[in-house]
Amino acid sequence: MKLYYSPGACSLATRISLHEAGIAAEFERVDLRAKITETGRDYTAINPAGSVPMLVLDDGAAITENVAVLDLIANREPKLGVGGPLGRTRLIEMLSFLSTELHIAFKPFWHAAGGTERREAAEAVAKRLDLLESRIVEPYLFGSDFTVADAYLFVMLRWAQAFGLTIPPRLLNAFELVSERSAVQQALAEEAEPALND
Ligand SMILES: N[C@@H](CCC(=O)N[C@@H](CS)C(=O)NCC(=O)O)C(=O)O
């Protein structure tokens, strides 16, 4: 399979999850501003939404949306999912929260918002982090086992750190634990390349 990604973007959660699952993949970098891939192709012709992640399976099926992509990996490697009768529902509930509530709350930071807009965005992120702080089972989101949701949360907490936002203590502990995982270190090393727009 192949992952279309941008260094440090939400697609990092997919790369981490692929490594955690032991699934081999190719990776093609996308310049999200120019919408050009590293092989010079027009990314909007590949994914009309123009966003990452996009995972192309070996049979050519293309999967977009973080929730769907991460759920797919957890289905292929159940140790990265949540067990029990409501396990999959709980996982999708968490992935949806991360995507539609937390991830989206960072948008103003990416557009270099200032003043009131930035303050309101910081409050929105803080409110959602507080909710997760009260829900985390510890040490990971669902308890003792790392799941694809932890990979997604890790990327969001990296952003929080980069933008100087406060990470509540239990989430900070999870963040530090996740950052020590070998799959995470591998993924970070692979994405520690000069950004296309620098
Ligand atoms: N709804 C999409 C949004 C993904 C998304 O926002 N990706 C960002 C990177 S973290 C992106 O590609 N931004 C550039 C763009 O949308 O043009 C999903 O959940 O997968």
Side-chain angles (χ1 to χ4, degrees):
M1 59 178 74
K2 178 191 263 195
L3 174 66
Y4 289 91
Y5 79 99
S6 177
C10 52
S11 47
L12 174 60
T14 303
R15 185 190 291 260
I16 290 170
S17 299
L18 288 170
H19 290 338
E20 289 279 355
I23 297 173
E26 290 171 51
F27 299 91
E28 185 155 352
R29 192 171 64 236
V30 178
D31 178 333
L32 289 174
R33 270 179 259 169
K35 305 293 180 200
I36 301 285
T37 77
E38 65 180 296
T39 56
R41 290 180 301 153
D42 171 8
Y43 185 55
T44 58
I46 298 166
N47 177 6
S51 58
V52 294
M54 183 166 96
L55 192 61
V56 181
L57 307 184
D58 293 341
D59 66 3
I63 317 295
T64 60
E65 299 299 316
N66 282 290
V67 175
V69 169
L70 294 173
D71 177 59
L72 178 136
I73 296 171
N75 276 329
R76 294 209 171 178
E77 179 44 86
K79 75 171 190 207
L80 295 177
V82 180
L86 279 180
R88 177 136 187 244
T89 302
R90 292 298 178 209
L91 180 64
I92 291 175
E93 181 181 46
M94 180 58 76
L95 291 175
S96 301
F97 179 82
L98 292 171
S99 174
T100 66
E101 297 288 338
L102 184 58
H103 184 166
I104 216 85
F106 278 98
K107 287 280 175 199
F109 288 97
W110 291 113
H111 300 120
T116 309
E117 198 188 349
R118 191 183 174 94
R119 197 169 54 251
E120 285 174 359
E123 282 168 13
V125 169
K127 185 177 163 196
R128 286 153 180 81
L129 292 182
D130 284 348
L131 266 171
L132 289 170
E133 178 79 353
S134 68
R135 272 195 218 169
I136 186 170
V137 181
E138 291 191 286
Y140 297 110
L141 279 168
F142 290 98
S144 55
D145 296 321
F146 174 94
T147 70
V148 291
D150 292 293
Y152 199 178
L153 175 63
F154 174 75
V155 176
M156 299 298 106
L157 294 179
R158 270 189 104 222
W159 293 356
Q161 197 176 54
F163 293 123
L165 305 176
T166 302
I167 302 174
R170 288 193 229 166
L171 294 185
L172 188 58
N173 186 48
F175 179 63
E176 284 165 359
L177 206 58
V178 171
S179 66
E180 286 163 11
R181 297 179 71 88
S182 58
V184 174
Q185 295 198 356
Q186 183 187 344
L188 288 174
E190 289 167 355
E191 295 204 0
E193 50 195 304
L196 286 176
N197 290 309
D198 277 357

